Amino acid sequence: MEHVPASEHGGRFPPFQKDTFASQLLWFALVFVTLYLLMSRFALPRIGSILEQRRRRIEGDLAEAQRLKDESDAAIAAYQQALADARSRAQALANETRQRAAAEAEASRKALDARLNAHIADAEKVIAEKRAAAMLNVQDIATEAAVAIIERLIGVAPAEQQVAQAVAATLKR
């Protein structure tokens, strides 16, 4: 490394030297004014227009997003309304079907009750006829049995008409 003596540099930091300070200040002012004019005439208007375009684009995008949100909210509301309508129609249809099925079941039950009652009445008639016939047969059998028993006990056959009256009187009790 080569060592440069301090006398060659002048000993101080160059911007703070008194003999060059005025010229440096003049050049600083000229460069600043030139840069300011260039920036204010060319760069800043372009940057401002870019920022304005971005602001308009963002506002447009926000407006579009709000419009789409409103449309989706309206679509959701329409969907909810359609769903509620469908549920109410389904409930009404289920109630109607349930009522119709209950009415059909009630009609079927009444028809079956009527048929069963008719069968029961017919069966009761048949039973009554059979019972009456059986009672007549029982009376005849009882009369014959009584005549046979009396004849065996006493050895003489009693009058069949008297035995029939006695058996009928006993059966009536």
Side-chain angles (χ1 to χ4, degrees):
M1 290 203 39
E2 192 176 319
H3 182 53
V4 179
S7 62
E8 290 184 21
H9 286 289
R12 288 194 210 149
F13 186 59
F16 295 132
Q17 291 179 359
K18 289 182 185 178
D19 55 338
T20 62
F21 189 70
S23 68
Q24 287 179 4
L25 191 58
L26 175 68
W27 281 110
F28 174 73
L30 287 175
V31 169
F32 181 78
V33 168
T34 305
L35 283 175
Y36 177 78
L37 289 175
L38 285 174
M39 293 297 283
S40 67
R41 301 272 187 232
F42 299 110
L44 291 178
R46 286 183 184 170
I47 292 172
S49 67
I50 289 171
L51 291 176
E52 182 63 25
Q53 287 174 353
R54 284 185 182 176
R55 185 187 60 77
R56 277 190 249 135
R57 184 181 305 151
I58 289 170
E59 286 176 357
D61 289 347
L62 288 175
E64 179 69 13
Q66 184 63 38
R67 184 185 66 80
L68 292 174
K69 181 185 178 295
D70 292 342
E71 285 179 7
S72 68
D73 288 345
I76 288 171
Y79 168 75
Q80 294 293 340
Q81 182 62 38
L83 188 61
D85 291 345
R87 283 183 181 150
S88 66
R89 282 194 307 263
Q91 186 66 31
L93 184 61
N95 287 341
E96 180 183 321
T97 303
R98 190 178 311 116
Q99 289 173 353
R100 189 178 326 120
E104 289 173 1
E106 183 65 21
S108 296
R109 187 190 61 80
K110 286 181 180 179
L112 183 61
D113 282 349
R115 279 188 301 190
L116 289 176
N117 287 336
H119 285 305
I120 289 171
D122 290 344
E124 286 176 352
K125 283 181 187 177
V126 169
I127 290 171
E129 290 172 0
K130 296 287 182 180
R131 184 175 184 194
M135 289 306 279
L136 286 176
N137 286 339
V138 168
Q139 189 173 356
D140 290 343
I141 292 171
T143 303
E144 289 175 11
V147 168
I149 292 171
I150 292 172
E151 187 180 336
R152 216 155 196 225
L153 287 175
I154 32 173
V156 178
E160 203 171 302
Q161 196 170 26
Q162 287 177 342
V163 174
Q165 288 174 354
V167 168
T170 304
L171 287 176
K172 284 184 182 177
R173 287 192 247 155

